[in-house]
Amino acid sequence: MNGLGISAYNSPNREYPLEFTRNIGVAAHIDAGKTTATERILYYTGVVHKIGEVHHGTAVTDWMAQERERGITITSASITCSWTTKQGPYGGREHRINIIDTPGHVDFTAEVERSLRVLDGAVAVFCAVGGVQPQSETVWRQADKYGVPRLAFVNKMDRSGANFFSVIDDMREKLGANAHPLFLPIGLEEDFVGLVDLVAMKAYYFDKSDPLGVNFHVREIPEELGEEAIAYREALVEAIADYDDDIAEKFLLGDTPEEDELKRGIRKATLSIDFVGVIPGSAFKNKGIQRLLDAIVDYLPSPLDLPPMIAQNAVGEEVELAPDDGGKAAGLVFKLWTDPFAGKLVFYRLYSGRLQKGSQIYNPRTRKMERVSRLLVMKADAREDIDVAYAGDICAIIGVRNVTTGDTLCDKVLDVSLEPPTFPVPVISMSIEPNTKADQEKMSMALGRLSEEDPTFRVSSNPETGQTLISGMGELHLEIIRDRLFREFKVHARAGKPRIAYRETISKEAEGEGKFVRQSGGRGQYGHANIRIEPQKPGTGIEVVNKIVGGVIPKEFIKPTVDGIMEAANNGVVAGYPVIDFKVSIEDGSFHQVDSSEMAFRMAGIFAFKDAMTKAGPTLLEPIMLVEVTTPEAYQGDLIGDLTRRRGRIQNMQVGTRATQISAMVPLETMFGYATDLRSLSRGRADYSMEPSHFAEVPTSLSTHIVQTSHREPVRA
């Protein structure tokens, strides 16, 4: 460290040292107010000089036409701002905050997944009325998966029915979060007039004469909240004592920690991931955002606060990548985007070293060098050229070609690969057909680009019908894809009815034999394999065991046999859907010294699997969705009846003071058009969310129809 507290990991040329850099995401359930909160952050940090609104289509981070029309976030937007706190360990130091505003709709959960993979911290936004909603839980699990420290912002404190402490209880119960308020609200609903700072023990009152919320007044804590503030501060100090020895000592001695000491303790607790500080506010009414910015700087991590990233080198050894400008360059590609003016944008998180414009960077997956033509700092749909990116930066690269989401780009001497983000499997498919031959060519190119951008969007071709099938996470997901085809790529195409990504499995053990013999004069073909398949527990996946002894099938023919089995498992015997959750053992077989070949054993594997599966009680499975409906109590009976008619099973029902939350497991096949029916049944007052849960056996009465339809028009999900 030098006299300014700056470590030697920093290049002398970088504008913001690593210590003063924050890479954060804003994530939550749909309509909790993420984008509105982000918009206020941009206003108070001086990035924009006029506040944009989601409902007016003027929010900076909702820049796509579809986002502005629908009032929802579809793609995660990256933007950079800076903030200076006045108090605490970081007081007076300007910090760079790189923010990614993520979608809340479950159809676009991949955007949240890949953002959290490369972020250092997150702000989880909760609605003060709705509390912890279904997608809130999904986002929380994703943050846990990647070990992301987070703060919680309880938004909409001005709304009727707002309850700050109920949301904290909800977080503890539903998320298992060790949540503690850092501020208390002064007043609720329309009387929400300020915040009590439990660290500094002072009150911030919003200035009624300033509708933009820039000005506020610092006063003593109001007398009626004095005892409550002391009690919550003591609870906060007690919670922090578990993470900080100095605070623990003062707590045991009955001493009061200083403000800076407590802030350092809260920071240490937050970085442990086991503690979450909670801040109330109202983004729409411009209340509490400055305190949220202070907390981001004070408590969320810089790149130096986190453990080094672990990568694997070419021989499988672990390599640590420390955030050091002087190290070898290495980072992760987490997103691709096609820009109509700049071409392919490659979003990149640099973990170590420096990356310069015009330099060469190595892709370990392709084993090729790529040229970095331009480097950009993204500001939603705007961009700023830079000459060099440093460790800890999030930037966009132009010029690299053969790259996909999850690729590592690094110095060739380093030659390491970082773990890519994981994505859910698509659950819904539909056919799409171009209107003209010219549209066919444009559509092929457009679908290729869109599938590059979105890992949960798949394109496949049905060889028997010649149809092009597109698959995604839900109706809205595919609707946005179709809209982008028309608007961005000028493709005119017709879409067929969405199709379900069914699966197949087996219900009992069975043996199968596959023999492939061809004689046509000269050298022939010979492959022979005996296998046993048995069912596995749901969600287990596919397991292949080689039980060959004595060389009855030579080692070089085992892999082709397995390849054949896996190929056959892509097209089950019931209706041609992929087979899941089974174990297959290769137990016996035979070979011919001259005629045996890899191709022959691959065919033997295919025949053996088909033979065994036919005897193993094959069944058809359908995707089951977890549906969460929030409705006024007056409509709950009608909505429960409607879910039951859709073959839904009610799992839970929570009756609140203003709304009832219904949880149900419902087959995806019955949920098409549900949004319209829900609005009709509840007069537009209910809303719902839906996410994939599991696969379950299709009722026999429906299975026959699905099989007949599939044989007429096979679908490859």
Side-chain angles (χ1 to χ4, degrees):
M1 294 277 186
N2 61 22
L4 295 173
I6 308 303
S7 68
Y9 297 111
N10 292 280
S11 164
N13 297 322
R14 69 183 296 157
E15 185 178 1
Y16 291 88
L18 281 159
E19 287 83 350
F20 305 148
T21 299
R22 303 287 183 270
N23 293 314
I24 68 161
V26 183
H29 184 88
I30 190 169
D31 203 33
K34 301 173 302 300
T35 302
T36 303
T38 304
E39 194 68 24
R40 270 47 177 186
I41 287 173
L42 299 181
Y43 177 73
Y44 292 124
T45 56
V47 174
V48 297
H49 302 291
K50 182 181 178 183
I51 295 177
E53 301 290 1
V54 172
H55 56 281
H56 290 157
T58 55
V60 173
T61 52
D62 280 355
W63 55 270
M64 289 175 65
Q66 293 89 341
E67 292 177 316
R68 292 182 169 176
E69 288 173 0
R70 298 164 189 264
I72 61 170
T73 302
I74 294 169
T75 182
S76 53
S78 175
I79 199 155
T80 299
C81 60
S82 58
W83 182 251
T84 305
T85 59
K86 294 180 174 57
Q87 305 291 333
Y90 291 100
R93 302 274 178 85
E94 188 176 20
H95 287 66
R96 167 171 283 182
I97 304 175
N98 299 314
I99 302 174
I100 294 182
D101 175 32
T102 64
H105 198 287
V106 68
D107 281 18
F108 310 107
T109 190
E111 290 288 323
V112 186
E113 184 87 21
R114 58 181 168 194
S115 298
L116 288 173
R117 170 65 181 83
V118 298
L119 291 170
D120 301 328
V123 174
V125 180
F126 297 93
C127 173
V129 181
V132 175
Q133 296 164 289
Q135 187 64 5
S136 310
E137 297 184 56
T138 303
V139 167
W140 202 264
R141 287 195 302 270
Q142 289 170 316
D144 283 338
K145 174 180 172 181
Y146 294 115
V148 179
R150 67 214 80 148
L151 294 168
F153 181 67
V154 178
N155 193 25
K156 304 188 180 183
M157 287 296 301
D158 60 301
R159 274 187 54 183
S160 177
N163 190 326
F164 178 64
F165 301 104
S166 174
V167 176
I168 292 178
D169 291 340
D170 229 12
M171 291 175 64
R172 292 169 177 169
E173 181 184 339
K174 293 183 179 178
L175 305 176
N178 182 18
H180 290 269
L182 302 178
F183 296 82
L184 299 181
I186 302 175
L188 290 174
E189 301 179 355
E190 62 183 19
D191 296 322
F192 177 49
V193 295
L195 301 174
V196 172
D197 186 341
L198 295 178
V199 177
M201 289 303 282
K202 58 188 176 186
Y204 292 94
Y205 281 86
F206 311 125
D207 189 337
K208 292 182 180 178
S209 65
D210 178 13
L212 295 177
V214 175
N215 300 314
F216 51 86
H217 305 288
V218 182
R219 298 174 184 164
E220 294 300 315
I221 296 172
E223 188 176 334
E224 65 271 18
L225 289 177
E227 290 185 9
E228 187 178 23
I230 291 170
Y232 274 102
R233 190 183 203 271
E234 287 178 354
L236 176 63
V237 172
E238 183 179 359
I240 298 304
D242 293 335
Y243 305 94
D244 188 292
D245 292 339
D246 294 334
I247 300 291
E249 185 178 347
K250 288 204 169 189
F251 175 74
L252 293 172
L253 294 173
D255 294 339
T256 302
E258 297 294 329
E259 180 182 344
D260 283 3
E261 287 180 309
L262 188 52
K263 281 191 173 182
R264 278 190 284 266
I266 294 172
R267 181 177 183 78
K268 190 180 293 185
T270 304
L271 297 185
S272 76
I273 313 173
D274 294 326
F275 174 89
V276 182
V278 188
I279 303 154
S282 170
F284 183 60
K285 292 294 178 68
N286 311 315
K287 296 177 177 180
I289 298 298
Q290 292 101 321
R291 305 289 73 81
L292 174 62
L293 279 162
D294 286 343
I296 288 169
V297 166
D298 287 336
Y299 307 131
L300 289 182
S302 74
L304 289 174
D305 291 318
L306 300 174
M309 290 300 297
I310 303 298
Q312 284 195 331
N313 63 18
V315 294
E317 298 170 337
E318 288 191 351
V319 177
E320 289 189 351
L321 300 177
D324 183 352
D325 290 344
K328 300 289 186 185
L332 185 73
V333 173
F334 66 96
K335 179 175 176 174
L336 303 180
W337 190 259
T338 302
D339 186 280
F341 305 105
K344 183 194 285 187
L345 294 177
V346 176
F347 286 76
Y348 182 66
R349 166 67 194 266
L350 187 59
Y351 286 104
S352 174
R354 289 177 291 178
L355 184 63
Q356 289 187 311
K357 180 176 72 173
S359 64
Q360 298 278 325
I361 193 80
Y362 180 67
N363 186 337
R365 180 181 62 84
T366 61
R367 320 303 294 175
K368 291 181 179 179
M369 299 292 291
E370 299 274 0
R371 186 174 184 275
V372 179
S373 302
R374 290 171 64 192
L375 280 174
L376 308 171
V377 171
M378 297 302 296
K379 296 185 176 179
D381 59 338
R383 47 201 170 274
E384 177 186 323
D385 279 274
I386 57 174
D387 293 327
V388 58
Y390 297 96
D393 283 351
I394 293 174
C395 62
I397 304 172
I398 294 177
V400 293
R401 297 182 181 280
N402 190 6
V403 65
T404 62
T405 300
D407 276 356
T408 299
L409 297 178
C410 64
D411 189 292
K412 189 170 185 179
V413 174
L414 204 56
D415 194 9
V416 295
S417 295
L418 288 154
E419 182 183 355
T422 56
F423 300 105
V425 176
V427 296
I428 184 173
S429 300
M430 67 169 63
S431 62
I432 187 160
E433 298 178 4
N435 289 351
T436 66
K437 190 167 184 179
D439 284 321
Q440 171 75 56
E441 295 174 5
K442 287 195 290 185
M443 189 179 81
S444 298
M445 180 209 55
L447 291 177
R449 287 193 185 176
L450 291 171
S451 60
E452 264 189 354
E453 292 175 10
D454 186 351
T456 58
F457 172 62
R458 309 278 174 84
V459 182
S460 59
S461 176
N462 189 322
E464 296 185 37
T465 65
Q467 281 187 317
T468 298
L469 301 176
I470 57 175
S471 306
M473 298 304 298
E475 284 183 281
L476 179 60
H477 187 194
L478 294 183
E479 192 178 319
I480 296 296
I481 292 288
R482 286 167 51 200
D483 197 41
R484 289 189 63 195
L485 277 175
F486 175 72
R487 294 196 191 197
E488 293 177 32
F489 299 98
K490 308 295 187 242
V491 174
H492 296 270
R494 302 181 304 277
K497 184 182 176 183
R499 304 194 190 159
I500 311 298
Y502 292 100
R503 296 288 184 268
E504 297 181 24
T505 192
I506 57 173
S507 56
K508 61 184 180 181
E509 285 190 34
E511 294 181 348
E513 180 180 22
K515 187 176 280 190
F516 183 75
V517 182
R518 292 287 185 274
Q519 288 293 339
S520 56
R523 182 174 176 176
Q525 296 284 351
Y526 185 91
H528 176 215
N530 290 331
I531 67 169
R532 174 184 294 274
I533 60 173
E534 51 193 289
Q536 300 261 65
K537 290 181 180 179
T540 306
I542 300 173
E543 182 183 354
V544 180
V545 179
N546 176 18
K547 292 187 176 180
I548 295 296
V549 293
V552 293
I553 298 179
K555 286 183 179 179
E556 63 266 27
F557 296 139
I558 296 296
K559 185 179 183 301
T561 306
V562 173
D563 290 343
I565 292 169
M566 299 305 291
E567 182 179 332
N570 281 328
N571 299 276
V573 300
V574 179
Y577 292 100
V579 187
I580 59 173
D581 299 332
F582 66 89
K583 177 181 177 181
V584 58
S585 304
I586 306 173
E587 298 191 329
D588 200 3
S590 61
F591 75 104
H592 190 279
Q593 289 283 1
V594 176
D595 291 350
S596 286
S597 66
E598 290 187 0
M599 190 274 283
F601 273 94
R602 184 172 145 275
M603 295 302 298
I606 293 173
F607 294 157
F609 182 83
K610 295 289 187 184
D611 181 40
M613 188 177 175
T614 304
K615 306 170 187 173
T619 58
L620 191 65
L621 304 176
E622 63 181 339
I624 304 297
M625 313 301 285
L626 170 60
V627 179
E628 301 265 5
V629 181
T630 304
T631 175
E633 189 176 354
Y635 306 107
Q636 72 178 40
D638 290 341
L639 296 184
I640 289 173
D642 182 63
L643 289 170
T644 304
R645 283 192 294 274
R646 295 174 188 270
R647 297 195 284 126
R649 293 185 178 182
I650 306 301
Q651 303 292 303
N652 189 26
M653 190 167 69
Q654 292 183 342
V655 180
T657 54
R658 292 182 172 272
T660 299
Q661 192 172 68
I662 304 164
S663 300
M665 293 292 180
V666 191
L668 176 62
E669 182 265 335
T670 68
M671 288 300 292
F672 295 124
Y674 183 64
T676 303
D677 293 343
L678 181 70
R679 283 195 294 269
S680 174
L681 288 169
S682 67
R683 298 184 180 179
R685 295 181 62 194
D687 58 31
Y688 83 106
S689 67
M690 181 171 72
E691 60 183 89
S693 175
H694 62 281
F695 283 90
E697 188 171 341
V698 177
T700 306
S701 57
L702 290 174
S703 180
T704 304
H705 171 72
I706 294 168
V707 170
Q708 291 172 346
T709 305
S710 298
H711 283 313
R712 279 202 312 270
E713 199 173 304
V715 175
R716 303 294 179 261

